Amino acid sequence: MAQPVSALGFQVVGLRFRAESKAAHQLLFKQHSVRTHSDSKPPDRTLFIVNVPPYCTEDSFVHLFSAYGKVRAVFFHKRPTSGPPPQTKHPNFASVPPVLGFKVAYVVFSHPSALKKALSLPPNTVLTLASDEHPVLTGVKKWQQEYNRSFVPRQELSAEVASVMADYDARKEREKAEGQQEPDSEGWVTVVSEKKKKPQLEKVEEVTKKKNSRKKKKKKQEIVHFYSFQQRQAKMDHLAQLRKKFEEDKNRITQMRMSRKFRPY
């Protein structure tokens, strides 16, 4: 059975793991298009690929699509997005979880002509991912590689620790300049009174209680009559009270006229 040439605007090509593999996986790709320009994924140089198997790596995709032109970057995501994948300044302290399972890929070329060559692939093309010169590790070999990479060299780790501490000191300096404080060993912080404008010591628990009480007051100030039938009933009650007050004032004026002694007419 011949594989489809296109589906829902995507071109379809085959992907086999090695040259001797009998089964081929289907990749769907098209030109990346976004409403706003993206520096990391320019539309005129980016190939958008879906249904990417889990064993595909960035290095294997760089080698695979380098046949059509120089590849500047390859991004893997769990779902389509216009931005770059999340990155961290300190990978050994706040690592970004890898993209597992099937994924989408963005292949960014250095020149638009490379994208045109990739989009002009003939029908029923089957690409080969791995070869003897450029192997893709799987199974135990892949696990061994990940295990060996988990050991960080001492110099690299020391430099990253120094960078983390420098960022921490800079953040504390900014918080100090903005007036934010940390509780001392006994749990006290300095709070400036809004009325007296004088610093005074208060327990962290007391400050938290004050904030919670303010939130409760705000909740009490919410709209009482939210639904339309409540608003109509409130208006009817208000009109009834006005009528009752009017009758009471009318009777009182009548009694005052009857009780006055001086009658000029």
Side-chain angles (χ1 to χ4, degrees), residues 157-170:
L157 186 60
S158 299
E160 189 167 344
V161 169
S163 178
V164 170
M165 296 305 299
D167 292 345
Y168 176 81
D169 294 338

Side-chain angles (χ1 to χ4, degrees), residues 182-196:
E182 286 188 354
D184 56 15
S185 58
E186 297 180 356
W188 293 89
V189 293
T190 303
V191 180
V192 180
S193 176
E194 296 180 358
K195 296 181 179 179
K196 298 181 180 180

Side-chain angles (χ1 to χ4, degrees), residues 89-90 159-178 180 182:
K89 186 179 179 181
H90 311 294
E160 189 167 344
V161 169
S163 178
V164 170
M165 296 305 299
D167 292 345
Y168 176 81
D169 294 338
R171 187 176 72 252
K172 289 302 176 183
E173 290 294 333
R174 290 195 300 269
E175 292 178 356
K176 185 177 181 180
E178 295 173 357
Q180 300 179 5
E182 286 188 354

Side-chain angles (χ1 to χ4, degrees), residues 204-230:
V204 178
E205 292 82 0
E206 296 177 0
V207 177
T208 306
K209 288 181 180 179
K210 289 182 179 179
K211 291 182 179 179
N212 293 335
S213 62
R214 292 173 185 171
K215 291 181 180 179
K216 290 181 179 179
K217 289 181 180 179
K218 288 183 179 179
K219 289 183 178 179
K220 291 182 180 180
Q221 295 176 358
E222 294 179 354
I223 300 175
V224 179
H225 304 298
F226 178 78
Y227 297 100
S228 57
F229 74 91
Q230 292 177 334

Side-chain angles (χ1 to χ4, degrees), residues 24-248:
H25 186 80
Q26 290 182 347
L27 292 181
L28 290 82
F29 63 87
K30 66 178 181 179
Q31 183 177 355
H32 176 53
S33 60
V34 289
R35 296 180 181 178
T36 59
H37 179 74
S38 175
D39 294 333
S40 59
K41 301 171 184 174
D44 60 336
R45 293 186 285 114
T46 304
L47 185 67
F48 174 50
I49 310 172
V50 300
N51 202 31
V52 179
Y55 50 79
C56 294
T57 62
E58 294 182 7
D59 294 337
S60 63
F61 262 39
V62 169
H63 171 69
L64 182 65
F65 289 97
S66 293
Y68 312 105
K70 185 177 180 181
V71 177
R72 193 184 71 176
V74 174
F75 301 113
F76 286 137
H77 297 274
K78 193 63 180 177
R79 55 186 57 87
T81 178
S82 58
Q87 298 179 353
T88 177
K89 186 179 179 181
H90 311 294
N92 295 313
F93 291 91
S95 60
V96 178
V99 181
L100 302 177
F102 280 83
K103 49 202 170 185
V104 299
Y106 295 86
V107 180
V108 184
F109 294 99
S110 297
H111 198 273
S113 59
L115 176 62
K116 294 180 180 179
K117 290 181 181 179
L119 293 174
S120 61
L121 284 173
N124 300 326
T125 300
V126 179
L127 305 175
T128 303
L129 184 67
S131 61
D132 295 335
E133 294 80 11
H134 299 277
V136 177
L137 299 182
T138 58
V140 177
K141 292 183 179 180
K142 182 179 180 181
W143 178 84
Q144 290 176 345
Q145 183 186 62
E146 293 175 353
Y147 177 76
N148 294 330
R149 289 179 178 177
S150 63
F151 295 95
V152 185
R154 180 176 298 180
Q155 294 181 353
E156 180 181 347
L157 186 60
S158 299
E160 189 167 344
V161 169
S163 178
V164 170
M165 296 305 299
D167 292 345
Y168 176 81
D169 294 338
R171 187 176 72 252
K172 289 302 176 183
E173 290 294 333
R174 290 195 300 269
E175 292 178 356
K176 185 177 181 180
E178 295 173 357
Q180 300 179 5
Q181 299 183 16
E182 286 188 354
D184 56 15
S185 58
E186 297 180 356
W188 293 89
V189 293
T190 303
V191 180
V192 180
S193 176
E194 296 180 358
K195 296 181 179 179
K196 298 181 180 180
K197 298 299 181 181
K198 293 182 180 180
Q200 56 185 6
L201 291 175
E202 290 187 7
K203 275 284 187 180
V204 178
E205 292 82 0
E206 296 177 0
V207 177
T208 306
K209 288 181 180 179
K210 289 182 179 179
K211 291 182 179 179
N212 293 335
S213 62
R214 292 173 185 171
K215 291 181 180 179
K216 290 181 179 179
K217 289 181 180 179
K218 288 183 179 179
K219 289 183 178 179
K220 291 182 180 180
Q221 295 176 358
E222 294 179 354
I223 300 175
V224 179
H225 304 298
F226 178 78
Y227 297 100
S228 57
F229 74 91
Q230 292 177 334
Q231 296 176 3
R232 289 196 300 268
Q233 186 64 35
K235 291 179 180 179
M236 292 174 63
D237 294 342
H238 183 62
L239 290 175
Q241 291 178 1
L242 291 177
R243 291 192 184 99
K244 182 179 179 181
K245 189 175 183 300
F246 175 75
E247 294 295 335
E248 291 177 354

